[in-house]
Each structure stands twice: as structure tokens, then as C-alpha cells.
């Protein structure tokens, strides 16, 4: 008799997709604005990328 848990076996047989969370988002979801200007965002990105 095999003692493998059923949920574990199903998860192993059907691995999650990387974009699964994005596909399951409700249509009414909208991101919150960060209130930074385009210039400020570009400066932050340039700083992080080096």
C-alpha cells in the first residue's frame, strides 16, 4: 500500500504555473498609484540598476 498523501500526489502531477496568480486576479482589480512622478521613478530604477 502506498502512503503518499493524495494532495501531495496531485500537486506533483500538476505543478503550478508562474503566472497563475495573475490569471486568477479579479477583473475589477487595479493597482494603487505610487504617487511618484515619471522622473522620480526613472531615478529610482537607474539607482537600482546601477
Amino acid at each position: 500500500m502506498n502512503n503518499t498523501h493524495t494532495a501531495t500526489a496531485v500537486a506533483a502531477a500538476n505543478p503550478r504555473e508562474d503566472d497563475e496568480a495573475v490569471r486568477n486576479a479579479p477583473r475589477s482589480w487595479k493597482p494603487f498609484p505610487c504617487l511618484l512622478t515619471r522622473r522620480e521613478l526613472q531615478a529610482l530604477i537607474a539607482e537600482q540598476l546601477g
Side-chain angles (χ1 to χ4, degrees), residues 3 6 9 12 14 16-17 19-24 27 30 33 35-37 40 43-46 48-49:
N3 290 332
T6 304
N14 300 318
R16 253 176 80 170
E17 300 275 335
D19 59 345
E20 183 175 336
V22 174
R23 285 187 282 129
N24 291 335
R27 290 193 184 274
K30 293 183 181 177
L35 303 179
L36 294 175
T37 65
E40 291 170 327
L44 285 171
I45 293 168
Q48 291 180 2
L49 295 178

Side-chain angles (χ1 to χ4, degrees), residues 1-10 12:
M1 200 151 203
N2 192 351
N3 290 332
T4 303
H5 191 274
T6 304
T8 305
V10 171

